[in-house]
Amino acid sequence: MSFPNRLVTKLTGHTGPVHCVTYSSLSGQYILTGSSDRLIHLYNPLKSSPTVPKSGLIQTYSAHGYEVLDIAVSEDNARFASVGGDRQVFLWDVGSARTVRRWGGHGGRVNAVGFGGEGEGGVIVSGSFDATVRIWDCKSSSMKPIQVLEQARDSVSSLHVVGHEIVTGSVDGRVRVYDLRMGMLFVDVIGQPITSVRQTRDGNAVLVSTLDSTIRLMDKGNGQLLQSYKGHTNTEYRIRSTLGMADSVVISGSEDGKLYAWDLLEGKVIGTMEAHEGKVASAVACNGVRKEWASAGVDGTVCVWGMPE
Amino acid sequence: MASKRSLATFEADLQAHQSPYVIHGTPLPPLDAETRDDGSYVPIWKQEVTDEQGRKRLHGAFTGGFSAGYFNTVGSKEGWTPSTFISSRANRKKDAAPAQQKPEDFMDEEDLAEAEEAMKLQTTESFGGLGSTADEKMQHDSFMDVFKTTGETMGVKLLKKMGWREGQGIGPKIRRKAQLGDDQDRDGGGDQQMHLFAPENSDMVSIIKKNDRKGLGFGGQGKLSEAPIAESSPQIGDHGREDDENSAGFRTLGKPSKINKKSSVRKGGFGVGILNDNGSDDEDPYQMGPQISYNRVIGGNKKNKKKLESGRSSANPLVNSRPVFVSKKAGTAKGNSTFRRCHDGRLPLDGFVLSSSSDPLSSILSQDGKYPPPNIPPDWKSSKKPSTLTSSPSSQPYQSAATVAAASKLSPKSRATLLGETQLPGKSVFDFLTPDARSRIASATNNQNLPPALGEASKSSSSSQPKTLQSLIPNLDQDTAMRALGRGTTGWMPYAEDPAKRARYRTFLEIRAGLRPEGTLPDRPPGTTNDDWVVEMNEFARAAQIFKPMTGTMATRFTSSSSAPKLATDNVKLDSTTDSDGKPQLLTKPTGKTKTPAEEAAAVGMYGPLTRSVENFYPTRLLCKRFNVQPPAHVQVDPGNAPPGSEAGGNSESSTVLSQKRLELVGKKDMDELRMTGGGMREFVQSSEVIEGNTGDEAGQSTVGAVVVDPDRNEALEQERPGEAVFKAIFGSDSEDD
């Protein structure tokens, strides 16, 4: 099985650790990165070359007063939301590089954000260190959240909104699946602090990263363990993992600076890539269309990986 | 030319009109934007009359007339509606219409309140003072009012509680004959029965201030200017007042005589005018009667001269003892009065004689320092040294009686036993308790100082004995001590900031738990007194009560915190949130804590039903709308009102989870069994189904709906009356009927 393990380009420009990397919606032409230097960068990886510094940097979004921890892009690519240490959720207009809305209400830094709902007037879901998930309405001008989900017992580190379901992972070691249509909350105890949750495209399984250097694929229907992926190091930092290549590959960063890829079904390591100067590789993102993915590291760079030529 | 201002321009600066005194800043807007307060003309049909609450009210002719509220209607939009009376066979008018209309029917709240006000009874203001009229009140020094309490003093209240009534004396009751009046001879009525009477009231000692320069007992001529003085001090006899008991005008200071009241006719120099009135009622200057004799001749008459003489003779006490006719009755009274009484009017105690003069020795000594006491030589030392070793009371500094009394631990009962008084008949709860029950209460309340129980010897004698140090250790259940110790071993223990104190606490617990040999004393912090030690041990005992681990249902409701509270002494590095690379450490691993079954299952990798739990989740309607999904069934009802378990959701999984979580007071199995056995009892089945309905059973809800309560019919009342025998059996006694 071929895996895109060739370093296509390296996106530079950040002066601090990069915490999150996201591909734009639809075709996934652009990459958005959020960093500790309080800036959000918009890159076009196709126009970037690894030798030229700051090449491919299209736009810089600066409004955050603290580090940027997560970014989510709306379906129509017109807006994106970013969260970070300033306990607020920022909704940006991509073109004008200005914040459209800012919602405050979280009691701690906001770890994760996601777009939800249908159409342009959807909602923004944010999970915070204050152990709450807040759902903000983009349509109305209300500054209050539509709903606050307070079931988590510890910091909500990661969330993924798919359809009518909100999947959250918390440091209390539990994956919570809020099913809006059924009005049910499914709680799966993983036992270890969760750093990343991601649902598969078919909606039947959730990929869960935990601080015991293990990534688990959990069955969403009955909470059983489908597969576990080991080999990387993840005991201290929030290392994101993701599913790629039409949900056939599991990709994750590692604290030893390497990037690992596993086969989804068999759980074997199919690729190990060295990057980020041996520093923590904190986040990965997969392009939904092309066979391409990106990884972000504490060294302040974003590596874009593609198929070998 | 000045033209008439248009209404619009007038309205424009309406605000300026309403706040003409605001120079700086912006005036506040008017209270009510609708109404204008500038006094401009409002036609009568636009005027509104409201009551204090701002409601439109129909007022009487004097307070607004019929222009109030709706113009020329009776305060309502539709006008007055005549009362109707409808009754039918099916629907009878239960309470007949009021036969007679009362004025109250036509009164609104204000009128009713006014009527209420009018019915209140209260005394006029002059009654408020100390039995005085208003003008006497005027003379009161306002400064004195600060010290004088109005109304009953606490002493009077206490006395009244003990059975005393005003006008009585204080003390044990006296058995004597009734005194029916002055005219009755005291010795005479031998046939009278003896009764118990309250002692006679003793007079207040009133010392009259002498603030004039007249001779002792001389009140001076009755003059117009002196009227207030005579009024304020009626004891000082006026000139011309005749008194047969005491020498005229002469009073021993501090012993007012009551006989004074029966004063003879006053005969002043030029007669008594209204201005000379000294306020006493029996001296009405215009009273017609034989007592009054008007002076018609200037210069006085023979009688007046005589008065002057007696007034002069008062200065010479010898003249006073001229022989006078004394009636037999007065003589006996005098004979009694030869015994000198104490200032409170009582005879001195048996065996005591009132001294006629002050002690000669002391009076000599006190004479202007003639014989002063000898000076103590500067190097003199008393041979009687206060011993510093024993803490005898003499070594302590002086303590007032009040502080000693406050410090003493004697209860009224123990004081009574010390004094040898008989016990009061009052009983406490402990008099009905067995010693066993008392000891249980003592251990539960941690108070060893409870009164003795029934049949138990009073411990007051033992309490007076010096306590051993062992007995000073506060009592604590062995069980509690063990559990508090156990809590300490598992993790947390109070006094973390003071290791020495914690060690003492542990020792104390060990002693109370019986882990140390009998008779060991808890550690004592160095350099502390016994009292401090006891105080600390009491604190330990309370701490052990509080910090013992919880049991039962309470324990299930709490979980221990994963991190201990930060102490001031802890020197935790606070910069641990960033690592060497400067990247914020986003996640910290929780420290070890007790694991739930699900977590244990997850730890061994048994993911599945063991690690999964399902709860209800109530998305708001707006959220469902934004996600373009239909709200779930249990959100159709307002989730705020619905109890969490009462949703009609058909998900069996959730309902079983819920019912497992619910604290089952009566087991479901037990309920089923009961239902089987009590088959015929329909009500019981209903009630059990109600319980089921609460746990999310749809069938239960429908049954609940079937129970119809008819408000017009009371089953209990309208049942057939049981037979007489039943009533007899219950209300029993025939003797009452007969």
Side-chain angles (χ1 to χ4, degrees):
Chain A
M1 180 183 175
S2 65
F3 178 73
N5 53 5
R6 183 181 66 92
L7 181 65
V8 174
T9 185
K10 209 173 207 178
L11 307 174
T12 54
H14 280 298
T15 54
V18 181
H19 293 308
C20 53
V21 56
T22 315
Y23 273 96
S24 59
S25 299
L26 302 174
S27 64
Q29 197 180 350
Y30 302 97
I31 289 177
L32 275 160
T33 57
S35 165
S36 269
D37 62 4
R38 312 195 296 272
L39 296 176
I40 297 162
H41 283 181
L42 176 67
Y43 293 98
N44 187 348
L46 297 178
K47 293 188 176 177
S48 154
S49 72
T51 50
V52 185
K54 288 198 179 183
S55 61
L57 176 62
I58 296 168
Q59 184 65 272
T60 303
Y61 301 90
S62 63
H64 277 282
Y66 294 81
E67 74 273 13
V68 182
L69 293 177
D70 202 9
I71 297 171
V73 188
S74 71
E75 281 181 18
D76 55 357
N77 276 333
R79 293 171 176 190
F80 72 91
S82 67
V83 292
D86 33 13
R87 304 180 193 180
Q88 282 187 329
V89 179
F90 285 23
L91 181 63
W92 296 85
D93 183 60
V94 174
S96 64
R98 282 191 196 152
T99 55
V100 182
R101 300 285 300 276
R102 296 185 188 190
W103 291 283
H106 276 298
R109 62 163 188 266
V110 189
N111 288 325
V113 70
F115 268 94
E118 301 212 341
E120 61 176 49
V123 296
I124 288 173
V125 186
S126 63
S128 162
F129 183 69
D130 65 359
T132 62
V133 172
R134 280 164 205 261
I135 302 167
W136 312 91
D137 193 357
C138 298
K139 210 172 209 172
S140 79
S141 60
S142 166
M143 296 310 289
K144 286 182 180 171
I146 298 177
Q147 193 165 10
V148 180
L149 312 176
E150 291 173 311
Q151 282 85 358
R153 292 280 161 276
D154 208 332
S155 168
V156 177
S157 59
S158 176
L159 62 85
H160 191 200
V161 187
V162 181
H164 59 273
E165 284 174 326
I166 301 170
V167 185
T168 68
S170 167
V171 178
D172 64 1
R174 280 161 176 81
V175 174
R176 291 182 175 81
V177 181
Y178 296 91
D179 192 326
L180 296 180
R181 183 168 284 168
M182 279 166 71
M184 306 300 285
L185 164 63
F186 302 93
V187 183
D188 285 325
V189 179
I190 306 299
Q192 294 290 327
I194 291 162
T195 61
S196 168
V197 287
R198 189 125 308 243
Q199 196 176 349
T200 56
R201 282 186 181 182
D202 57 4
N204 288 332
V206 181
L207 189 72
V208 181
S209 289
T210 55
L211 280 187
D212 56 349
S213 302
T214 310
I215 302 168
R216 292 179 178 85
L217 187 67
M218 309 299 294
D219 192 328
K220 232 174 74 183
N222 53 21
Q224 280 174 351
L225 179 68
L226 296 173
Q227 190 57 267
S228 62
Y229 311 95
K230 288 183 184 176
H232 67 299
T233 319
N234 182 13
T235 54
E236 271 185 85
Y237 300 106
R238 187 186 74 172
I239 307 285
R240 288 288 161 88
S241 61
T242 191
L243 293 153
M245 315 305 128
D247 283 2
S248 64
V249 180
V250 173
I251 306 168
S252 173
S254 172
E255 283 168 19
D256 54 8
K258 291 178 184 170
L259 298 161
Y260 288 83
W262 294 267
D263 184 75
L264 182 91
L265 293 175
E266 294 171 11
K268 286 180 189 166
V269 177
I270 57 169
T272 312
M273 288 130 284
E274 302 249 356
H276 304 298
E277 302 164 13
K279 291 186 180 170
V280 177
S282 55
V284 286
C286 263
N287 192 308
V289 179
R290 299 191 299 275
K291 289 197 170 179
E292 183 187 301
W293 57 283
S295 67
V298 169
D299 62 343
T301 60
V302 174
C303 296
V304 183
W305 306 82
M307 290 301 278
E309 289 169 340
Chain B
M1 185 177 164
S3 63
K4 201 177 171 187
R5 287 165 76 200
S6 72
L7 187 64
T9 49
F10 178 74
E11 299 272 294
D13 54 1
L14 180 65
Q15 182 142 340
H17 277 277
Q18 287 192 344
S19 48
Y21 304 111
V22 178
I23 298 157
H24 297 289
T26 313
L28 287 169
L31 285 175
D32 189 1
E34 302 279 299
T35 59
R36 25 196 303 182
D37 202 19
D38 55 347
S40 57
Y41 172 72
V42 179
I44 189 168
W45 52 272
K46 259 194 171 176
Q47 288 173 11
E48 280 179 3
V49 179
T50 54
D51 62 1
E52 295 100 324
Q53 279 90 36
R55 296 172 296 189
K56 279 184 186 177
R57 283 289 153 207
L58 174 66
H59 283 248
F62 294 103
T63 53
F66 287 103
S67 64
Y70 296 93
F71 189 63
N72 261 357
T73 65
V74 286
S76 70
K77 206 173 178 180
E78 294 82 16
W80 179 69
T81 319
S83 71
T84 53
F85 175 80
I86 301 165
S87 184
S88 69
R89 243 172 91 186
N91 188 16
R92 267 199 222 163
K93 190 97 174 170
K94 282 278 159 46
D95 40 358
Q100 238 176 355
Q101 286 171 327
K102 290 176 289 183
E104 283 84 357
D105 296 341
F106 301 94
M107 288 157 82
D108 66 352
E109 288 153 41
E110 284 167 39
D111 297 331
L112 285 172
E114 246 169 60
E116 279 292 311
E117 198 75 20
M119 284 171 75
K120 262 190 196 160
L121 262 185
Q122 64 183 41
T123 54
T124 56
E125 207 182 329
S126 57
F127 276 88
L130 202 73
S132 60
T133 53
D135 46 1
E136 196 180 349
K137 218 177 173 185
M138 296 275 282
Q139 294 172 2
H140 269 304
D141 193 355
S142 60
F143 182 66
M144 282 306 288
D145 289 345
V146 177
F147 300 104
K148 201 174 73 181
T149 55
T150 53
E152 280 190 339
T153 59
M154 189 47 71
V156 171
K157 277 184 194 163
L158 281 173
L159 281 171
K160 278 187 172 174
K161 261 199 173 161
M162 291 161 76
W164 175 80
R165 266 176 241 149
E166 275 178 66
Q168 293 179 348
I170 296 164
K173 291 198 172 177
I174 299 163
R175 186 172 290 278
R176 63 168 167 78
K177 285 165 190 162
Q179 292 173 356
L180 296 171
D182 281 346
D183 52 330
Q184 180 142 7
D185 201 332
R186 283 190 191 181
D187 303 336
D191 54 334
Q192 267 195 352
Q193 282 188 337
M194 303 283 270
H195 292 286
L196 270 179
F197 284 102
E200 277 184 47
N201 199 5
S202 52
D203 294 324
M204 278 280 287
V205 183
S206 63
I207 295 160
I208 295 140
K209 196 164 150 196
K210 178 144 180 72
N211 49 5
D212 54 8
R213 292 182 180 180
K214 288 165 186 147
L216 265 184
F218 179 63
Q221 288 276 349
K223 287 184 203 161
L224 289 177
S225 62
E226 279 177 1
I229 297 169
E231 199 178 315
S232 63
S233 55
Q235 272 84 1
I236 298 173
D238 295 5
H239 164 71
R241 176 175 283 204
E242 204 174 32
D243 205 315
D244 49 357
E245 286 272 316
N246 294 6
S247 57
F250 186 82
R251 296 282 185 284
T252 50
L253 286 177
K255 192 186 173 186
S257 163
K258 277 198 156 183
I259 317 160
N260 201 10
K261 245 188 175 177
K262 201 184 140 199
S263 60
S264 70
V265 184
R266 179 198 174 103
K267 286 144 192 144
F270 292 102
V272 182
I274 188 71
L275 290 169
N276 267 2
D277 183 16
N278 62 3
S280 53
D281 292 334
D282 50 356
E283 289 180 356
D284 187 4
Y286 303 116
Q287 190 186 12
M288 299 302 286
Q291 299 104 311
I292 296 285
S293 59
Y294 294 99
N295 292 318
R296 292 189 176 83
V297 184
I298 297 174
N301 51 9
K302 190 186 166 194
K303 243 185 179 175
N304 204 357
K305 221 173 180 178
K306 196 173 157 193
K307 205 94 306 147
L308 272 167
E309 262 177 15
S310 71
R312 212 182 298 128
S313 68
S314 68
N316 187 356
L318 289 173
V319 185
N320 199 23
S321 61
R322 66 201 143 103
V324 212
F325 170 69
V326 180
S327 72
K328 192 190 171 189
K329 185 175 125 194
T332 53
K334 264 238 162 98
N336 285 343
S337 70
T338 50
F339 295 108
R340 292 186 53 211
R341 290 171 187 250
C342 296
H343 65 80
D344 59 349
R346 290 192 197 169
L347 289 171
L349 293 172
D350 280 347
F352 285 88
V353 180
L354 270 182
S355 76
S356 56
S357 66
S358 57
D359 188 13
L361 182 66
S362 63
S363 64
I364 287 168
L365 282 176
S366 62
Q367 268 178 7
D368 51 53
K370 235 182 203 172
Y371 303 101
N375 286 324
I376 301 171
D379 52 349
W380 179 81
K381 276 183 184 171
S382 171
S383 61
K384 290 170 183 171
K385 278 186 185 171
S387 61
T388 49
L389 294 173
T390 60
S391 60
S392 64
S394 60
S395 70
Q396 284 169 354
Y398 168 75
Q399 285 179 309
S400 76
T403 56
V404 170
S408 88
K409 300 241 167 62
L410 290 174
S411 65
K413 241 182 186 175
S414 57
R415 264 198 297 277
T417 48
L418 280 178
L419 292 168
E421 289 177 8
T422 53
Q423 289 273 332
L424 289 168
K427 287 208 166 193
S428 81
V429 179
F430 290 96
D431 293 336
F432 299 99
L433 287 177
T434 60
D436 187 34
R438 180 197 169 274
S439 67
R440 243 182 294 140
I441 290 173
S443 66
T445 58
N446 210 5
N447 180 9
Q448 291 303 306
N449 208 12
L450 295 173
L454 178 69
E456 210 177 22
S458 170
K459 283 188 178 167
S460 61
S461 55
S462 67
S463 70
S464 62
Q465 289 169 359
K467 286 176 179 172
T468 62
L469 287 174
Q470 193 69 39
S471 68
L472 287 173
I473 308 173
N475 201 31
L476 187 68
D477 264 353
Q478 190 177 352
D479 189 34
T480 312
M482 280 298 262
R483 274 188 287 162
L485 260 182
R487 175 121 197 237
T489 56
T490 53
W492 194 78
M493 205 168 203
Y495 311 118
E497 281 174 311
D498 189 353
K501 195 170 186 182
R502 182 186 265 192
R504 291 199 296 275
Y505 174 64
R506 190 184 289 275
T507 318
F508 169 75
L509 286 181
E510 279 169 2
I511 286 166
R512 272 306 169 208
L515 300 177
R516 295 269 175 121
E518 192 77 19
T520 41
L521 292 173
D523 297 342
R524 175 194 299 231
T528 51
T529 61
N530 259 355
D531 288 348
D532 292 340
W533 182 56
V534 171
V535 164
E536 195 185 67
M537 279 194 298
N538 278 317
E539 184 190 326
F540 286 163
R542 278 198 302 277
Q545 293 272 359
I546 293 165
F547 295 125
K548 72 178 179 195
M550 287 168 292
T551 52
T553 50
M554 276 303 273
T556 61
R557 287 168 183 252
F558 291 89
T559 177
S560 55
S561 75
S562 57
S563 64
K566 285 262 161 51
L567 298 172
T569 53
D570 285 354
N571 265 329
V572 178
K573 272 192 175 178
L574 291 172
D575 55 355
S576 66
T577 49
T578 54
D579 68 343
S580 56
D581 294 323
K583 178 181 154 77
Q585 189 181 326
L586 298 174
L587 300 168
T588 52
K589 273 189 276 187
T591 52
K593 54 182 176 184
T594 55
K595 287 184 172 178
T596 61
E599 280 166 346
E600 278 167 8
V604 296
M606 291 175 66
Y607 296 106
L610 283 175
T611 57
R612 164 153 290 206
S613 56
V614 182
E615 294 169 25
N616 269 320
F617 164 56
Y618 299 93
T620 57
R621 295 180 141 273
L622 181 60
L623 184 62
C624 294
K625 198 174 165 189
R626 290 283 179 268
F627 273 86
N628 202 13
V629 294
Q630 195 180 9
H634 57 268
V635 184
Q636 304 281 355
V637 292
D638 191 5
N641 296 339
S646 71
E647 87 290 347
N651 194 309
S652 62
E653 200 175 11
S654 79
S655 61
T656 51
V657 169
L658 278 168
S659 60
Q660 275 166 12
K661 282 191 130 190
R662 191 176 300 281
L663 247 177
E664 284 187 43
L665 295 175
V666 181
K668 204 173 162 64
K669 212 181 242 179
D670 300 338
M671 292 302 294
D672 287 340
E673 250 174 60
L674 281 168
R675 206 187 309 179
M676 294 298 276
T677 50
M681 299 171 69
R682 180 166 154 65
E683 287 111 348
F684 185 77
V685 172
Q686 266 183 11
S687 69
S688 71
E689 273 169 1
V690 168
I691 292 165
E692 260 198 5
N694 282 336
T695 62
D697 198 331
E698 204 153 25
Q701 282 201 337
S702 66
T703 329
V704 175
V707 178
V708 178
V709 178
D710 187 4
D712 293 336
R713 196 177 143 77
N714 190 334
E715 293 277 347
L717 290 180
E718 298 185 19
Q719 266 172 353
E720 218 178 8
R721 195 178 187 259
E724 270 314 301
V726 177
F727 284 102
K728 274 242 175 93
I730 295 168
F731 301 108
S733 70
D734 292 357
S735 60
E736 272 178 31
D737 300 344
D738 299 335

